[in-house]
Amino acid sequence: SRYYREVLPGEIVKISRHDVQTLDVVQRPERDPSAFCIFEYVYFARPDSIFEGQMVYSVRRRCGQQLAIEAPVEADLVSTVPESATPAALGYAQKCGLPYVEVLCKNRYVGRTFIQPNMRLRQLGVAKKFGVLSDNFKGKRVVIIDDSIVRGNTISPIIKLLRESGAKEVHIRVASPPIRFPCYMGINIPTKEELIANRPEFRDLANYIGADSVVYLSVEGLVSSVQESIKERQENSPKSQKSFIGKIGHCTACLTGEYPVELEW
């Protein structure tokens, strides 16, 4: 039988035809906590991925639940832009006691908008990318859960589309904190100037993107959603394993500007 598990930070693994061997685990200097990219949980990873012993889908659902605690709103239904934020939207809906309803369906014949070369093409892409399930939300107050708003120009045409199709109110809730800083660890995040959180429009973001309200998850809320079950598992682990457990750590540099290593230029 095949057995899959994560490669530990600093672990050197030899995979041969016969077996899988751990050759060494390189210790971190001063036993610093690890700095696993928190955005893997928010956006990059597949929902069925397992990191640090937990499924990404479950973490995203917890982020949605936490967002409902931090930013509830008077509304009739909860939905999402399909489908990366679905787990967070289900968590939000469950915690608020509101129904989760689909308001958009994906047009499977159109490519990704994130990689379109310019803004106009990205916005056109959005309009072609989704069909509107207007019967589901006409005359209703809608909460749309998104996983992240990076530039702010993808959500705008979606809000417009929903309003034109009969939504009474459109509230945006973002299941991650605003990205404010560049990543120097190899993730291709746009320049500081392109990030909506650093632009003057951010001061009145709801008005800028055409929403009735916009609230992001707090950094503390994200970190607690990610670390909750890791801590539980550590507390319940046998005494013999306690010495192997490192301090829990995640890189939040793109959100806080606190980088896990000193930058050398």
Side-chain angles (χ1 to χ4, degrees):
S1 70
R2 291 182 179 177
Y3 170 64
Y4 296 100
R5 68 159 176 84
E6 287 175 89
V7 177
L8 300 169
E11 183 181 13
I12 300 166
V13 177
K14 180 186 174 189
I15 302 173
S16 70
R17 254 187 335 205
H18 313 292
D19 61 2
V20 177
Q21 286 179 305
T22 295
L23 301 184
D24 194 10
V25 179
V26 180
Q27 288 300 322
R28 284 187 291 278
E30 281 91 55
R31 299 187 72 78
D32 284 344
S34 61
F36 183 79
C37 169
I38 209 155
F39 237 69
E40 287 283 1
Y41 284 110
V42 169
Y43 183 79
F44 297 121
R46 274 173 37 165
D48 60 338
S49 304
I50 293 179
F51 298 136
E52 303 175 296
Q54 58 185 345
M55 192 175 277
V56 168
Y57 186 101
S58 305
V59 172
R60 289 178 184 166
R61 192 175 55 213
R62 279 204 299 276
C63 286
Q65 291 170 336
Q66 180 61 27
L67 187 57
I69 294 166
E70 292 183 15
V73 61
E74 289 279 314
D76 302 303
L77 60 98
V78 175
S79 196
T80 183
V81 181
E83 53 246 357
S84 55
T86 302
L90 287 165
Y92 188 98
Q94 178 201 355
K95 197 80 178 166
C96 283
L98 290 170
Y100 171 81
V101 179
E102 290 180 323
V103 297
L104 297 166
C105 63
K106 224 167 186 176
N107 173 354
R108 65 184 66 183
Y109 309 108
V110 177
R112 301 290 302 269
T113 55
F114 191 66
I115 52 176
Q116 294 286 6
N118 66 41
M119 197 154 141
R120 183 80 193 106
L121 276 178
R122 268 200 297 273
Q123 289 179 324
L124 279 171
V126 166
K128 287 193 307 215
K129 197 172 160 179
F130 298 107
V132 186
L133 305 171
S134 49
D135 281 5
N136 290 356
F137 62 86
K138 226 174 236 168
K140 293 188 173 156
R141 300 166 299 175
V142 182
V143 186
I144 296 287
I145 308 295
D146 207 346
D147 46 19
S148 63
I149 295 180
V150 180
R151 291 184 179 90
N153 53 37
T154 307
I155 194 78
S156 239
I158 286 166
I159 297 167
K160 194 166 179 263
L161 202 58
L162 294 174
R163 285 199 192 282
E164 286 168 358
S165 307
K168 189 176 167 191
E169 291 175 12
V170 182
H171 298 272
I172 304 295
R173 294 292 177 270
V174 190
S176 65
I179 300 179
R180 297 175 187 276
F181 301 90
C183 175
Y184 299 110
M185 316 291 156
I187 301 296
N188 185 13
I189 285 176
T191 59
K192 228 171 169 178
E193 293 68 42
E194 278 184 272
L195 296 168
I196 190 71
N198 294 329
R199 297 174 65 85
E201 295 87 347
F202 192 68
R203 281 193 284 267
D204 188 5
L205 185 58
N207 188 39
Y208 177 68
I209 64 174
D212 288 278
S213 69
V214 183
V215 187
Y216 284 80
L217 183 63
S218 67
V219 175
E220 301 73 39
L222 172 61
V223 171
S224 71
S225 301
V226 167
Q227 295 185 353
E228 187 184 306
S229 77
I230 303 174
K231 283 180 179 159
E232 269 172 33
R233 213 174 40 259
Q234 285 193 0
E235 281 158 17
N236 298 329
S237 64
K239 277 210 170 91
S240 58
Q241 285 179 19
K242 294 273 195 231
S243 58
F244 295 105
I245 295 169
K247 289 185 222 148
I248 307 168
H250 290 91
C251 178
T252 59
C254 61
L255 314 171
T256 61
E258 291 164 25
Y259 294 89
V261 291
E262 275 187 47
L263 302 173
E264 294 173 17
W265 302 111

Short mmCIF file of all heavy atoms in Angstrom, two decimals, residues 11 15-16 20 24 33 62 70 104 115 161 172 194:
data_model
loop_
_atom_site.label_atom_id
_atom_site.label_comp_id
_atom_site.label_asym_id
_atom_site.label_seq_id
_atom_site.Cartn_x
_atom_site.Cartn_y
_atom_site.Cartn_z
N GLU A 11 13.68 18.52 5.95
CA GLU A 11 13.89 17.08 5.83
C GLU A 11 14.46 16.72 4.45
O GLU A 11 14.00 17.24 3.43
CB GLU A 11 12.56 16.35 6.03
CG GLU A 11 12.70 14.83 6.00
CD GLU A 11 11.37 14.12 6.18
OE1 GLU A 11 10.30 14.78 6.10
OE2 GLU A 11 11.38 12.90 6.40
N ILE A 15 14.05 8.90 -2.28
CA ILE A 15 12.98 8.03 -2.80
C ILE A 15 13.60 7.11 -3.85
O ILE A 15 14.18 7.58 -4.83
CB ILE A 15 11.85 8.86 -3.43
CG1 ILE A 15 11.27 9.83 -2.41
CG2 ILE A 15 10.75 7.96 -3.99
CD1 ILE A 15 10.26 10.82 -2.96
N SER A 16 13.52 5.82 -3.61
CA SER A 16 14.04 4.87 -4.59
C SER A 16 12.93 3.90 -4.97
O SER A 16 11.82 3.97 -4.45
CB SER A 16 15.22 4.11 -3.98
OG SER A 16 14.74 3.23 -2.98
N VAL A 20 11.24 4.66 0.79
CA VAL A 20 11.41 6.09 1.03
C VAL A 20 12.16 6.23 2.34
O VAL A 20 11.74 5.69 3.36
CB VAL A 20 10.04 6.80 1.16
CG1 VAL A 20 10.23 8.28 1.47
CG2 VAL A 20 9.23 6.64 -0.13
N ASP A 24 18.06 12.94 6.62
CA ASP A 24 18.41 13.89 7.68
C ASP A 24 17.28 14.90 7.83
O ASP A 24 16.50 15.11 6.90
CB ASP A 24 19.70 14.63 7.30
CG ASP A 24 20.32 15.37 8.48
OD1 ASP A 24 19.86 15.16 9.62
OD2 ASP A 24 21.26 16.16 8.27
N PRO A 33 10.65 29.20 15.22
CA PRO A 33 9.45 28.53 14.70
C PRO A 33 9.51 28.48 13.17
O PRO A 33 10.16 29.32 12.54
CB PRO A 33 8.30 29.43 15.17
CG PRO A 33 8.91 30.71 15.56
CD PRO A 33 10.34 30.44 15.93
N ARG A 62 -13.10 27.16 8.44
CA ARG A 62 -12.92 27.84 9.74
C ARG A 62 -12.72 29.34 9.56
O ARG A 62 -13.21 30.15 10.34
CB ARG A 62 -11.72 27.25 10.51
CG ARG A 62 -12.03 25.98 11.24
CD ARG A 62 -11.08 25.75 12.41
NE ARG A 62 -9.69 25.65 12.02
CZ ARG A 62 -9.11 24.52 11.60
NH1 ARG A 62 -9.81 23.41 11.49
NH2 ARG A 62 -7.84 24.50 11.29
N GLU A 70 -16.49 37.95 13.20
CA GLU A 70 -15.90 39.29 13.13
C GLU A 70 -16.76 40.29 12.34
O GLU A 70 -16.76 41.47 12.64
CB GLU A 70 -14.50 39.23 12.49
CG GLU A 70 -13.47 38.51 13.33
CD GLU A 70 -12.08 38.52 12.69
OE1 GLU A 70 -11.85 39.30 11.74
OE2 GLU A 70 -11.23 37.73 13.14
N LEU A 104 -23.85 32.67 -9.04
CA LEU A 104 -23.14 32.67 -10.33
C LEU A 104 -22.78 31.24 -10.70
O LEU A 104 -22.55 30.41 -9.82
CB LEU A 104 -21.83 33.48 -10.21
CG LEU A 104 -21.94 34.96 -9.90
CD1 LEU A 104 -20.58 35.50 -9.49
CD2 LEU A 104 -22.47 35.74 -11.09
N ILE A 115 -4.36 35.70 -15.09
CA ILE A 115 -3.16 35.77 -15.93
C ILE A 115 -3.37 36.59 -17.22
O ILE A 115 -2.52 36.61 -18.08
CB ILE A 115 -2.64 34.35 -16.29
CG1 ILE A 115 -3.78 33.50 -16.87
CG2 ILE A 115 -2.03 33.67 -15.09
CD1 ILE A 115 -3.35 32.12 -17.33
N LEU A 161 -22.70 43.13 -12.15
CA LEU A 161 -23.49 42.06 -12.76
C LEU A 161 -24.65 41.64 -11.84
O LEU A 161 -25.79 41.49 -12.27
CB LEU A 161 -22.56 40.87 -13.01
CG LEU A 161 -22.90 39.80 -14.04
CD1 LEU A 161 -23.08 40.42 -15.42
CD2 LEU A 161 -21.80 38.76 -14.09
N ILE A 172 -19.63 42.53 0.57
CA ILE A 172 -18.45 41.69 0.33
C ILE A 172 -17.77 41.40 1.66
O ILE A 172 -17.52 42.31 2.46
CB ILE A 172 -17.45 42.38 -0.64
CG1 ILE A 172 -18.14 42.74 -1.97
CG2 ILE A 172 -16.24 41.50 -0.87
CD1 ILE A 172 -18.63 41.59 -2.81
N GLU A 194 0.36 48.35 -6.96
CA GLU A 194 -0.80 47.69 -7.59
C GLU A 194 -1.78 47.14 -6.56
O GLU A 194 -2.94 46.91 -6.87
CB GLU A 194 -0.34 46.52 -8.46
CG GLU A 194 0.14 46.89 -9.83
CD GLU A 194 0.48 45.63 -10.62
OE1 GLU A 194 1.62 45.16 -10.52
OE2 GLU A 194 -0.41 45.11 -11.29
#
